Amino acid sequence: MDQREKAMDANAITRAYFDEILIEMRHIDNKIPDTTLHLYGETFSTPIMMAALSHLKGQGNEGDGMVQMAEGAKLANAVNWAGMGEIEQFDRIAATGARSIKIIKPYDDENMVLERMDRAEAAGALAVGMDLDHSFGGNGKPDIVLGLKMRPRTMKELESYVKRTKLPFVIKGVLSATDAQKCLDAGVQGIVVSHHHGILPTAVPPLMVLPEIVRVIGGRIPIFVDCGVMNGTDAFKCLAMGATAVSVGRPVMQPIIERGAQGAADVISAVTAELAGAMARTCSPDITHIDPTVLWRRNGVHAI
């Protein structure tokens, strides 16, 4: 990657922004931190979640990486997310017992969307949602994903999805306070702050726009952060800025190929342990009580 490409790369920009944020230590009156996550009426051991990945390679020649990822989430008592796949695949994912959120692409064919929503609800999904950042391709025309045409959605359509399902409906690809407000107005019950691994060159880092989104949401619905979370320190910074939970994607991919479900579970456990270490050294008793003033920029001012 040359210097111009690096300057345009949203993932490099996101990594640099994570590293720009520093953490002060606090030791007096601290205690063993609690990483428990309460979400949609259920309890999980960690706010570190699997990401909404698609078409994962698994352990062994016949291994289904998406199912193995779900099995790993079950082992770690973490939330699992499932991205694009054959419609029957989510049945196998749900059968693992992992509490999974099914994210559906914004297919041009509305029947494909509704069929997947209904199938996920019937299979026992924790929530269901749509990946809006795949509405358009880089050429400004409706995106084509694996030969399937996509299209954008209106507020009215989002409202119809919210009303159609009994499950919480989540929007992935929110990267502005403007869209966050529209999601609230549509009755959406969760948002994923994400640029879909750099789908837009020079996209704003999720962590940069997160404080503004948090102010708009005002605690009314969960806020999840995706893109570039590689370790527990990254996760801590997201939570300190107001995220409800975070997803790790690329860190679990190779471990799933090498060790299957146990590899995925080990990553979640390791990142959770790193998060707990950061919490313990900042007097953060649980994931909902992290003082954002522990975050600083390198220029010596508070991060938010």
Side-chain angles (χ1 to χ4, degrees), residues 18 207 210 225 229 233-243 246 295:
F18 266 116
L207 204 63
L210 179 60
V225 173
V229 178
T233 303
D234 291 345
F236 176 86
K237 294 172 184 179
C238 295
L239 296 172
M241 286 191 174
V246 304
L295 301 184

Side-chain angles (χ1 to χ4, degrees), residues 105-114 130 132 135-136 149-158 161 171:
K105 286 284 185 285
Y107 298 107
D108 180 62
D109 184 346
E110 185 72 353
N111 288 330
M112 292 183 67
V113 173
L114 300 181
M130 181 168 281
L132 283 186
S135 301
F136 287 101
K149 185 179 179 182
M150 308 292 151
R151 66 174 175 83
R153 290 308 195 270
T154 64
M155 286 274 290
K156 185 175 181 180
E157 287 174 306
L158 296 185
Y161 298 148
I171 291 295

Side-chain angles (χ1 to χ4, degrees), residues 14-33:
T14 294
R15 182 68 258 161
Y17 196 80
F18 266 116
D19 295 339
E20 171 70 18
I21 306 300
L22 309 178
I23 305 170
E24 76 175 39
M25 291 197 293
R26 299 178 183 178
H27 298 300
I28 299 173
D29 292 328
N30 63 356
K31 63 180 183 179
I32 295 174

Side-chain angles (χ1 to χ4, degrees), residues 123-142:
L126 176 64
V128 66
M130 181 168 281
D131 184 9
L132 283 186
D133 49 24
H134 256 300
S135 301
F136 287 101
N139 59 2
K141 298 178 181 179

